[in-house]
Each structure stands twice: as C-alpha cells, then as structure tokens.
Amino acid sequence: MFDFVRKHNKVLQGFLLLLILPSFVFFGVESYSSFMDGSNAGVAKVDGQKITRAEFDAAHRSQVERMRAQMPNLDPKELDTAEARQSTLDSLIRERVLLAAQQQQHLTISDEKLQSAFVTDPQLAFLRNPNGSVNRAMLAAQGMSVEGFMQRLRQDLALRQVMQGVGGTAPATASNAALAFDVLLQQREVQLQRFDAKDFASNVKPSDAEVEAFYKDPANSARFQLPESADIEYLVLDIEQLAKTVKASEEDLRKFYDDNQARFAVAEERRASHILIKAEKGASAAERAKAKARAEELLAQARKSPASFADLARKNSQDEGSAPNGGDLDFFGRGAMVKPFEDAAYALKQGEFSEVVESDFGYHVIQLTGKRGGDKKSFEQVRAEIEGDVLKQLAQKRYTELAEGFRNTVYEQSDSLKPAADKFKLTIQTASVQRKPVPGAVGVLASQKLLDEIFGNEALRNKRNTESVEPMPNQMVSARVVQHHPARLQAFDQVREQARALLVAKLAQVQALAAGKARLEALKKDPADVKGLGEATVVSRAKQAGLPRKVLSGLLGADTSKLPADVGIDAGDGSYVVARISKLLPRDAAVIDAKRAAEQYARAWADAEAMAYYQHLKTELKVKINAEAASAPAK
C-alpha cells in the first residue's frame, strides 16, 4: 500500500517543496567566492574562523577510510571525486555553523537530558545493554570509551537543538496535506500511440557516399576517434603489501601487552538494587525534604530487614523500570549511571546499603548485590589480537620509513622505475590508461591524481617517472610512460559498418519524429480518428505503467483545461509518443492514507524551514568558500 511512498520519499518531499514552498531554497555551499590568496589559504571561513586545508584533507581522509572499511568492494575512484570532496566540505561547514550557533545561543545539555536521550533514542539501541547501561564492548569495537561517547553525544544533542527549534515547529494540517497530495498524485486516463525509430529502420537505405559523408562530417568525427592513451609502467608501495612482509617478535608482543594493560582488563561492573523517591530539581524545598525523609524511612526499614528489600522496592520505588524487579538494575559499568549514584554504588561492599543518595531524579536507597570484572586477561588469551595490532603498527612504521625514500628514488632516478623496484623489492606492473579512469578501472589506475601526473608534460614528453602520489592513505605510486598514443580518427574502412548503423539510426529517428508529429496534427484536426491509439490506461506518479520518465512527465504536465487533450512527446530515446488525455481522476487512496500524507507533508515543511534557517545562519556567520582550495585534490 505504501510502497510508492517508501520508494519515492525524497521525490515526494522535493515535489511538495516546489509545489507549496517556492520561496525556500535548499541549502548547500554558496556560489564559490575566493576570500584569501596564497598557499596558506583555508578552504572556508565560518564566523571568522578558518577551516584549514589540513583540516579538510584530514576530514576527507577519515571519510574515505570509513567508507572503505564499511564497503571494501567500493570502487576507489568514487571516493576521489569533486563530488566526494564537496560532500566532506559541506559536512565540515555544517558542523562549524551549528557549533557557532550553539555557542552563541548558549545551548547546553544537562546530565539528566543526556541520560534520558541515551536510554530512549531507538538509534542508540545497539549500544544499550538490557538494563539501559552502556555496552562497553560495542564502544570498544568502535575505538571509543564511555566517557568519549557521552561527550560526543552531548555535543550532538546540543547541535541538534539549534535546528529543532525551527524544524520541530513546522505547521501541518490534514486539509493542507490532502490538497498537496491530491495535486501530486492526480491520475489521468490516457491512450497512447508510439512511433519507434526501429520500426522505420528498414525503410532507410543510405548509399555508400552518404555513409562516407556522415563519417567525414566534423560533427560526427568524435564517434570514430580512438581516445588518447598511454602504455605505462608503474610501481605501488602500500601498507597492505608491507603487512605481508613484516614479522612481530615475541618481545614486541610482550611489550605491547605490558604497555596496554588497561585495554586487556575486564571492565569492572557493579550490580545494584535501588528504591527511588522522585523529586524534580525544580521542586520546592519542602517537597524535596519530604521526599528525602521518605527515602530515609525506607532505608531504615531495609537495614532492619535486608531480606525484605525487594518487597520494599516493589511497593515503594517510583522507578517504573526497576520496581517490578524488586529494584534490580542488573550489572552496569562506570559512566552508565548518573555520577552520585555511580560513586555510591562503587563505594559499597556487597550486601551493604548506601546512605540516601541525591541525584537529578530524586533520592535513592541503594543496595550493592554483586560485582564482577576488574580482572586482566592473560597474554595467551589475547595473543592473536595483539599480534594483529602489532603487525599493523610495524607495517605502518615500515611504510613511513620507506615512503620518503621511495619518493626520492623515483624522482632522482627519473629515467627508469627499475632502481626503485630493486631497492624496495617491488614488482613493475604495466597497463594502458586514458586521461580519465576507464570503466571498470580499480585500485591506483582509478586515481585521477595519478592520471593527471601521467599525462603531464614531464611524464608524457620527456618519458620521466611521475612524482609519487598517494591515491589512498598509506599508498604511494609512481608511473612512467612507455608509449603515448594521441587521439586519432580511425580509417573509414575500419568503421564503415559502424558509421552506416549510426546513420540509419539517425535517419530512422527523423522519420519516426516526423510520422509522430503528422499523426498528432491529424488527430487534432479529426478528434474522432482514434485509429492506432491504444487502450485507455490510468497513469500517475504512483502508477507509471512502465513509461519513460520524460513521457510520464509530459503526460502529467500537459494542459488539461479542455478535454480530451492531445499532446505529442519526444521520448528522448529515438521515439515519439502521441497521447490523448481523456479524463482526470482523483488520487488513489490506497497509495497513501490521510495519516501518512500528513506525516509526509509535515516532514517536508520541517525540512524546508530547517533548510531555510540553516541558510540564514550561514549568511549571519558569513560563510565563505575558497573555490580553488576546496576543489583541488588532497595533497
């Protein structure tokens, strides 16, 4: 029922914005304008603060590494494009804009709100243990500590506040939503007649002279050219190759183990039960005193009869999550609970009761019921893990040591790659390349930076080694042109049949368009002449009937003030479609119901207002872009 909406969510929102919000402009980096000159120019400025080239390069490398880790089979050239760099810059600018706005507006996140966000946000569910505490193992796998994660979450929540005040208040009514979707998903009953070029091809029989003239026409010469190319030799030095050659000694492994004791310790955890008597921070002194007194009464009862603590919690605790379980909070580590609670729990011995503990939630009576962890894994238990990490470090160290020597060798002995190959024990590889990565190119051959060097003056004309470039982090390559092949027109005899097929297709398309336009004029003169029109069918943005986008757009955009309406549409694929629009029908209620329509409409409004506000912030904070620095590849 909602498949269309799910598949075309962004299309729907975009159409709504164009339909009902013409005054809003989608945010993005403004037209590039240079604001600094010189080699030390940054890539952008936000609120007077420069985003340096080094920061931009580091951010882009981090983004590339994350993408490669998540999608190992991703074509590397997709990560080294102007669009990819623009995406990194957009993200950096957005972060700086929101950070500046958050600081100017003095927006902060309390400990209580931070904890509440963590335990309620469904997007963070994978980081929560069943009892609501932080899953340390999951964070460790991401290379983060609990403290670092909470700090990052706090900042993220603070930045979200900047936009939520605008986007979260977007007006949306069921009637407005219905009106918008009625227009968007209107249905039209149509009859179609298609004129395909392929149906006219058999009538086209060009002479040899016409084919040769087509071949010689300057407008067609590019179709028969072989692109410029170069046969090259190249050397690759990268960390993955080096990782296969390094070895870790027993001493290296033992030292790593000794230097990372904390990493191999099992996190210490506590298990506690508690009774909570709620008292809001804004409550009066009298109310808070009353809550504390009640907590002290319950503490006295618990100490008098420790075995009855679970019953006391079930009957009296105001923590809806733990009360049914007798106050049990299961095991939790440091950083999972608010600090006063954590400090008290970690100070207790098993079975002991705390004094009444005050937190932002109220007053707690805590009993420690268990503890675990704090032990260190033995060397043998973690040997394989250590060996993997040490080998990575050794490979990185080895790469760093060799990189400068590799760079100098290919430059200083620039008439051959053999000296570098011998010195660094690398294999000279060969390939044929063009100025742009060819379809299917992978690895260093997909690097535009390398191709720019190959087709530079020094490499192309003087057959010298290229300067070493880094297509990816921890990867260095140099190449040498063996033979250069300029772009050249193939002889007519070599492409005669190709030229004939192209000319036939072109002439057949001309005939198809002419026949379609003639049929349209005839239909307009004699509306009763419906011979050749197909069966009536209903189309809409939700029911596309397999039509090409250009044809569907033409049908839905045609003037229907007078019906039937006859239109002709160039499909753009060598065919022409004659269409009769006979009826306008209301949208199909099965595509999207009123509730979902209102949600989509509200989201479109919220997005538009948030985008407009973000654009305003960028103007207020005087965001400027250094076009030349931003578009240049990373060094």
Side-chain angles (χ1 to χ4, degrees):
M1 174 177 183
F2 300 122
D3 283 349
F4 174 80
V5 175
R6 283 197 294 268
K7 293 178 181 177
H8 301 82
N9 187 26
K10 291 186 179 180
V11 174
L12 285 171
Q13 292 183 23
F15 183 85
L16 280 173
L17 294 176
L18 293 173
L19 181 68
I20 58 180
L21 305 171
S23 62
F24 289 129
V25 180
F26 285 102
F27 72 81
V29 176
E30 301 95 328
S31 298
Y32 284 146
S33 60
S34 178
F35 65 90
M36 292 181 66
D37 293 320
S39 60
N40 293 323
V43 296
K45 266 188 177 181
V46 177
D47 196 26
Q49 299 298 311
K50 184 163 63 176
I51 298 176
T52 67
R53 179 66 201 220
E55 290 173 321
F56 171 69
D57 287 345
H60 189 60
R61 281 195 298 270
S62 296
Q63 176 68 8
V64 167
E65 288 171 358
R66 283 194 297 270
M67 294 294 289
R68 291 186 74 187
Q70 294 169 6
M71 295 178 284
N73 296 324
L74 183 66
D75 189 342
K77 66 185 178 184
E78 296 295 330
L79 305 176
D80 189 32
T81 63
E83 292 77 9
R85 291 190 292 274
Q86 181 65 56
S87 176
T88 298
L89 182 59
D90 288 346
S91 296
L92 269 177
I93 290 175
R94 182 177 178 83
E95 180 180 330
R96 296 294 179 87
V97 166
L98 295 182
L99 184 60
Q102 178 243 329
Q103 293 171 346
Q104 289 182 2
Q105 297 170 22
H106 306 291
L107 299 174
T108 59
I109 300 295
S110 67
D111 290 344
E112 181 180 7
K113 188 169 184 179
L114 178 66
Q115 184 67 20
S116 175
F118 175 70
V119 299
T120 59
D121 190 338
Q123 295 184 4
L124 299 177
F126 74 103
L127 289 175
R128 289 195 297 269
N129 290 320
N131 65 347
S133 62
V134 181
N135 188 321
R136 288 176 176 269
M138 185 66 72
L139 281 181
Q142 305 299 317
M144 295 181 64
S145 65
V146 172
E147 294 74 16
F149 166 72
M150 285 301 185
Q151 182 178 353
R152 188 173 298 182
L153 178 59
R154 188 189 297 274
Q155 178 174 314
D156 181 57
L157 292 172
L159 295 184
R160 287 188 208 174
Q161 284 187 324
V162 176
M163 305 301 292
Q164 283 174 341
V166 175
T169 58
T173 64
S175 59
N176 285 342
L179 177 62
F181 275 92
D182 282 345
V183 175
L184 176 65
L185 299 177
Q186 180 194 78
Q187 302 183 99
R188 296 186 171 193
E189 185 178 276
V190 300
Q191 292 173 273
L192 306 177
Q193 186 172 358
R194 189 180 183 104
F195 295 82
D196 286 305
K198 63 182 181 180
D199 295 332
F200 293 83
S202 60
N203 300 328
V204 179
K205 300 186 183 299
S207 66
D208 289 344
E210 289 174 321
V211 173
E212 187 168 4
F214 178 79
Y215 162 81
K216 290 180 178 180
D217 187 339
N220 302 320
S221 60
R223 299 185 179 194
F224 307 112
Q225 276 194 341
L226 289 176
E228 180 186 16
S229 65
D231 299 330
I232 65 167
E233 297 176 340
Y234 64 101
L235 288 180
V236 180
L237 176 73
D238 66 21
I239 196 169
E240 292 183 5
Q241 290 177 329
L242 294 176
K244 299 174 183 177
T245 65
V246 296
K247 293 183 179 181
S249 67
E250 187 72 11
E251 181 182 354
D252 291 332
L253 301 182
R254 292 282 181 181
K255 185 177 186 305
F256 187 91
Y257 178 74
D258 293 338
D259 292 344
N260 294 274
Q261 293 290 315
R263 172 176 168 180
F264 303 115
V266 179
E268 187 178 5
E269 294 181 315
R270 292 287 190 269
R271 184 170 189 166
S273 295
H274 82 138
I275 297 173
L276 170 65
I277 302 301
K278 289 183 178 179
E280 300 294 335
K281 289 182 67 174
S284 66
E287 290 174 326
R288 294 187 66 82
K290 181 179 178 182
K292 184 177 181 181
R294 177 57 179 158
E296 289 175 340
E297 288 177 11
L298 293 169
L299 173 59
Q301 293 179 44
R303 284 177 170 165
K304 187 177 295 184
S305 178
S308 67
F309 186 83
D311 288 336
L312 282 175
R314 290 188 188 94
K315 295 175 182 177
N316 299 282
S317 180
Q318 295 173 351
D319 178 4
E320 294 85 354
S322 67
N325 299 322
D328 180 33
L329 296 169
D330 207 341
F331 282 96
F332 56 88
R334 288 193 179 275
M337 301 295 182
V338 292
K339 196 167 189 319
F341 190 103
E342 176 188 298
D343 290 344
Y346 272 78
L348 295 174
K349 295 180 181 179
Q350 188 156 335
E352 279 187 341
F353 291 100
S354 69
E355 297 298 329
V356 171
V357 177
E358 181 180 2
S359 78
D360 290 345
F361 299 99
Y363 295 93
H364 307 261
V365 175
I366 307 170
Q367 181 186 32
L368 187 68
T369 58
K371 57 182 179 179
R372 69 185 182 189
D375 302 322
K376 186 174 69 174
K377 294 180 182 178
S378 69
F379 174 77
E380 294 303 328
Q381 286 178 298
V382 294
R383 182 188 180 92
E385 177 185 347
I386 290 175
E387 188 169 15
D389 288 342
V390 170
L391 289 176
K392 286 180 183 178
Q393 289 184 1
L394 292 175
Q396 181 64 65
K397 181 181 179 182
R398 184 66 175 150
Y399 177 82
T400 303
E401 292 171 349
L402 297 181
E404 188 63 27
F406 180 88
R407 181 181 293 110
N408 292 337
T409 302
V410 298
Y411 176 76
E412 293 167 358
Q413 302 185 54
S414 59
D415 59 344
S416 173
L417 290 174
K418 192 172 187 306
D422 293 341
K423 182 176 181 178
F424 300 101
K425 296 180 174 55
L426 301 174
T427 301
I428 296 178
Q429 303 178 65
T430 60
S432 180
V433 296
Q434 298 174 13
R435 284 187 177 267
K436 296 293 182 182
V438 299
V442 296
V444 297
L445 298 181
S447 169
Q448 188 61 57
K449 288 188 288 188
L450 176 62
L451 296 176
D452 290 342
E453 287 287 337
I454 290 171
F455 287 92
N457 287 336
E458 278 297 302
L460 206 60
R461 294 181 182 177
N462 301 324
K463 300 295 190 294
R464 296 187 181 279
N465 299 340
T466 68
E467 290 189 11
S468 59
V469 297
E470 291 190 83
M472 291 290 177
N474 297 318
Q475 184 182 67
M476 191 169 287
V477 59
S478 176
R480 179 174 172 275
V481 175
V482 177
Q483 188 170 3
H484 176 231
H485 305 285
R488 58 200 183 278
L489 185 66
Q490 298 179 80
F492 176 62
D493 288 341
Q494 292 178 295
V495 294
R496 183 191 304 271
E497 293 310 312
Q498 178 188 354
R500 185 182 301 278
L502 289 172
L503 179 57
V504 167
K506 178 180 179 180
L507 296 177
Q509 183 175 344
V510 170
Q511 290 191 15
L513 294 179
K517 290 177 180 179
R519 176 67 180 108
L520 176 62
E521 291 303 314
L523 186 60
K524 287 181 176 180
K525 289 179 181 178
D526 184 6
D529 180 13
V530 295
K531 184 179 179 181
L533 293 178
E535 295 292 327
T537 185
V538 175
V539 299
S540 70
R541 289 180 176 83
K543 297 178 180 178
Q544 300 180 13
L547 296 175
R549 179 174 297 184
K550 194 171 181 180
V551 174
L552 185 66
S553 296
L555 292 172
L556 297 176
D559 181 9
T560 55
S561 56
K562 183 179 180 181
L563 295 177
D566 298 321
V567 296
I569 305 164
D570 183 347
D573 59 359
S575 63
Y576 191 86
V577 175
V578 174
R580 166 162 288 184
I581 304 171
S582 54
K583 291 182 184 178
L584 300 183
L585 305 171
R587 66 182 173 96
D588 185 352
V591 174
I592 182 169
D593 62 16
K595 180 180 179 182
R596 183 62 64 88
E599 291 172 354
Q600 293 280 349
Y601 179 84
R603 192 173 299 118
W605 262 109
D607 287 348
E609 294 199 353
M611 290 173 185
Y613 178 54
Y614 176 68
Q615 186 65 41
H616 166 74
L617 288 176
K618 289 169 68 180
T619 302
E620 288 291 308
L621 295 169
K622 297 180 173 61
V623 173
K624 294 182 179 180
I625 306 298
N626 181 339
E628 183 177 352
S631 60
K635 300 295 184 183

